[in-house]
Amino acid sequence: MDTIYIVILGILLLLAGFDLVVGVSNDAANFLNSAVGSRAASRSIIIAVAAVGVVIGSSFSSGMMEIARSGVFVPAQFNFHDIMLLFLAVMLTDVILLDLFNTFGLPTSTTVSLVFELLGAAIAVAVYNMCTMGDNVVQDLGAYINSSKALAIVTGIFASVGVAFTCGIIVMWISRLIFSFHYKKTFKYLGAIWCGLALTAITYFAVFKGLKGSTLLDKELLKYLDTHLHYCIMAAFAGWTILMLFLQYIARVNILKFIVLAGTMSLALAFAGNDLVNFIGVFMAGQSSYEIAQAHVAAGGNLSDLYMGDLAKPVVADWRYLLAAGLIMVGALMFSKKARTVTETEVNLARKNGGMERFGSAPPARLLVRYTLKFAQTLTRITPAPIARFIGKRFEPLPASEDNGQAFDLIRASVNLTIAALLISLATSLKLPLSTTYVTFMVAMGSSLADRAWGRDSAVYRITGVMTVIGGWFFTAFAACTAAFVCAMVLMAGGFGGIVLMVGIVVILLVKSAIMHKNKHKKHVEELNLGNDATLRGIGIGSAELLGRVLGIYKGAIDALITENRKQLKKLRKETKEIGKELRDKKNFEIIPSLRHISPDLVDRGQLLFRVTESMQATVESLNIIVQASFSHIDNNHAGLDNEQAQELLALTEHVAKFYPELCDMLRASNYAELEQALEEATDLSEEFAESIRHHLLRGNEDESQARNSILYLNLLNETRSMIRRSYTLMKDQKELLEG
């Protein structure tokens, strides 16, 4: 056996460890978000409960290991060398993609990543071999890919989106109809039965079904459970209901919190049982390949003649590897900071209250909300009034005085966890690599919709967020397949040098990602330390940079308008919108969250910082109106400014260009001694624009094209005045912030 294959196996083992850490950072949101969002317990308790589920579930994952071995490609078509490089390409690609998504806080699917990486790498190896041997790639490629099984897997994964969303809507609507938001009174009578049913369902799928894949239990016991399944289910329901009654009435325990924590554990168990293959399945398939090759060589065979058809045989994974993987996942779950970023994304989209939204507004989302509102109005008109009143009363939200700050209540959290755990456990029992990300996310979105968490003020942003996340899932499939294809081609063509190159790239990217994440967190902390004078001066420098960008775009827009340069105006419009988005994100996700937890002695400075941010946004809004109006005018092929307008506007622009550098210099130096002089200049400049407006109005225009020019010109003059006033206000606020 060549040493290179031992090295590859070692790299696979190392990458599997990295993949476990990176993958759990992404998938932790799947089983933590409901408990975290409903505040069922402290984060440490939630993680401890989830950790127990992960360790137990890891021992159920044996049957899923076949997916990595023969679920996507036909192993009999690949020799030992090809299969080892194929597996290496998959693992290298997987670590890179998952870390990339985690860094940006987007939940993605480790299952989809694995399936499409296996597909991309298998196609690359097959194409390389066929090109080398002179075969017809188009005709012969189908022999290498297990197309029917791969199609079934992919179809099942994407079908789970609709199933999970629909189940979330239906079960949540019925649950809210039964309990309402004022659920405590009804829950006294029905709570034990509700929790008993939920726990029985979880027990059936997560235990009776999940145990079939375990390597730790006796087969006779499994056979006994399967034979007496109906009695076991009835006994489980009776036992759980009695236990819930005892906890509710004797021990005075909030059994809804108990059910949420139990659901968290079962979902973590289902996740580990279904998704562990995504992290270590490739390594274990590589180890099996190595063992097959060792036996072949020991029998006198040649590795070049060894094709890996034996990988298609049933496999029983070593429970020690499964348990070790479970423990690594627990460690990642406890210490990963990136896991919190992904959790925040999902909780943010599912929360019941309004506030600042992370995502913007997309045209499809606006269209969907508009037609949904019309449909709801039609439905309301045809529903009998008594029924409509009853349903409306059940869905009345709690008053603000009773809201304890939860993203959603315990009823919704229990629905999210129970439905997601049932669907994932069912898929695991059928050996289907269901995407836990897709299921948990879409159940949460469906329950949010049914629970009327998406009000008219937030629906369009939430739907845009859901579309963004789902778009990321489809991008994952394309990116995983493409990246694995490229990586496998490099490995096949480059040999040992290709292996060194790709491993080096992975190491560099992981180190860079870790540094970027650390610096990003450090930067946020430093920027928001309002007790530090250096931080306050840094904010002033940031304001100066902003005004510099504003002036550059303004001058460029005026020049492009006069020369009727549509392409340049379009570019400047895009740049202005990007600046506006940067400022909104900074305010919504850095400044406002930090001001909620600011110390009492810094409240005044916090208020001033908020005013500085608002002045920045107001300045950019004026600039955006100027650029947008100019672009629309030229884009609609209207006549440009006449010579008199152009000359007057250029002269005024030169005055603006002299005023802004003075403001920038004061901001950079944190020296506001000339502020009064700047006020006089701003006043004089504003008066110049006012005089130009009066002069233009006295001209009088009757021609339609001149009228359009007149409207544009007056708009430009007025908004430039506003931009100057707002820039000066920014200066005053910055001065107070530094001296406050």
Side-chain angles (χ1 to χ4, degrees), residues 66-353:
E66 296 174 8
I67 301 300
R69 298 159 63 96
S70 59
V72 176
F73 57 87
V74 180
Q77 295 291 331
F78 298 89
N79 63 31
F80 174 66
H81 176 77
D82 295 340
I83 213 78
M84 293 299 284
L85 292 184
L86 188 157
F87 288 148
L88 182 59
V90 168
M91 291 301 293
L92 289 169
T93 306
D94 202 50
V95 172
I96 294 173
L97 284 181
L98 290 180
D99 187 72
L100 183 66
F101 273 84
N102 292 346
T103 299
F104 290 100
L106 290 175
T108 188
S109 171
T110 54
T111 305
V112 170
S113 298
L114 175 70
V115 170
F116 280 91
E117 283 156 4
L118 285 167
L119 180 62
I123 291 174
V125 174
V127 168
Y128 181 86
N129 286 336
M130 285 186 286
C131 290
T132 304
M133 294 184 291
D135 294 343
N136 189 314
V137 174
V138 176
Q139 291 181 0
D140 299 338
L141 185 59
Y144 289 82
I145 306 301
N146 193 346
S147 55
S148 59
K149 193 169 183 179
L151 182 61
I153 291 171
V154 172
T155 303
I157 290 172
F158 287 103
S160 67
V161 172
V163 173
F165 189 69
T166 304
C167 289
I169 290 175
I170 294 172
V171 177
M172 187 66 244
W173 193 84
I174 294 172
S175 303
R176 192 61 73 189
L177 199 62
I178 294 171
F179 292 106
S180 81
F181 282 96
H182 305 265
Y183 61 84
K184 292 183 179 178
K185 183 178 180 180
T186 309
F187 199 78
K188 286 182 181 179
Y189 307 104
L190 300 176
I193 297 174
W194 167 265
C195 292
L197 284 171
L199 288 170
T200 302
I202 290 171
T203 303
Y204 171 67
F205 286 105
V207 179
F208 295 134
K209 289 289 186 180
L211 283 173
K212 291 184 178 181
S214 176
T215 61
L216 300 179
L217 294 184
D218 183 72
K219 292 184 179 180
E220 291 298 322
L221 176 59
L222 295 177
K223 185 178 179 181
Y224 177 84
L225 289 174
D226 194 48
T227 304
H228 301 85
L229 191 57
H230 294 88
Y231 297 107
C232 291
I233 292 173
M234 287 188 289
F237 175 66
W240 283 124
T241 304
I242 292 170
L243 177 60
M244 292 300 102
L245 285 168
F246 173 80
L247 292 176
Q248 184 177 19
Y249 291 106
I250 306 301
R252 298 296 180 181
V253 172
N254 186 338
I255 57 174
L256 263 180
K257 291 187 176 182
F258 179 87
I259 198 75
V260 169
L261 292 176
T264 299
M265 187 178 74
S266 65
L267 192 54
L269 184 151
F271 152 76
N274 186 84
D275 278 19
L276 190 61
V277 63
N278 302 338
F279 310 130
I280 68 168
V282 174
F283 159 71
M284 298 190 75
Q287 184 191 40
S288 296
S289 301
Y290 185 79
E291 291 172 353
I292 293 170
Q294 274 188 318
H296 183 74
V297 171
N302 192 327
L303 285 181
S304 60
D305 300 329
L306 174 61
Y307 285 81
M308 305 305 296
D310 286 349
L311 283 179
K313 295 179 180 179
V315 60
V316 177
D318 190 331
W319 67 269
R320 291 171 294 185
Y321 281 112
L322 300 179
L323 182 59
L327 293 174
I328 293 174
M329 293 165 78
V330 169
L333 184 64
M334 290 180 174
F335 301 110
S336 173
K337 292 181 180 178
K338 291 182 181 180
R340 297 195 178 199
T341 308
V342 182
T343 302
E344 288 167 3
T345 298
E346 294 196 16
V347 171
N348 189 5
L349 287 172
R351 72 186 191 277
K352 67 177 183 291
N353 51 327

Side-chain angles (χ1 to χ4, degrees), residues 303-504:
L303 285 181
S304 60
D305 300 329
L306 174 61
Y307 285 81
M308 305 305 296
D310 286 349
L311 283 179
K313 295 179 180 179
V315 60
V316 177
D318 190 331
W319 67 269
R320 291 171 294 185
Y321 281 112
L322 300 179
L323 182 59
L327 293 174
I328 293 174
M329 293 165 78
V330 169
L333 184 64
M334 290 180 174
F335 301 110
S336 173
K337 292 181 180 178
K338 291 182 181 180
R340 297 195 178 199
T341 308
V342 182
T343 302
E344 288 167 3
T345 298
E346 294 196 16
V347 171
N348 189 5
L349 287 172
R351 72 186 191 277
K352 67 177 183 291
N353 51 327
M356 298 301 173
E357 300 290 343
R358 175 173 180 178
F359 295 92
S361 167
R366 294 195 291 270
L367 190 67
L368 184 60
V369 170
R370 190 175 300 119
Y371 281 104
T372 301
L373 287 172
K374 290 181 180 179
F375 175 75
Q377 291 167 358
T378 303
L379 198 62
T380 301
R381 285 196 297 269
I382 64 176
T383 303
I387 296 176
R389 283 196 300 270
F390 174 76
I391 294 175
K393 190 172 182 180
R394 304 306 286 176
F395 282 86
E396 281 182 2
L398 292 173
S401 58
E402 298 181 31
D403 191 345
N404 61 0
Q406 297 167 306
F408 40 81
D409 65 10
L410 292 166
I411 294 290
R412 176 138 61 101
S414 65
V415 169
N416 289 347
L417 290 163
T418 303
I419 299 303
L422 295 184
L423 292 174
I424 295 167
S425 299
L426 177 61
T428 302
S429 70
L430 298 175
K431 296 186 180 180
L432 293 175
L434 197 71
S435 170
T436 56
T437 301
Y438 290 15
V439 170
T440 53
F441 183 83
M442 294 312 296
V443 167
M445 295 305 102
S447 67
S448 301
L449 179 61
D451 214 20
R452 302 185 182 180
W454 299 354
R456 291 189 64 171
D457 292 333
S458 62
V460 66
Y461 306 107
R462 305 285 177 88
I463 293 172
T464 301
V466 172
M467 290 179 174
T468 301
V469 173
I470 294 176
W473 295 345
F474 284 97
F475 174 74
T476 300
F478 173 78
C481 189
T482 305
F485 181 91
V486 172
C487 184
M489 275 294 187
V490 172
L491 295 179
M492 291 295 290
F496 181 76
I499 294 173
V500 173
L501 174 64
M502 293 308 303
V503 170

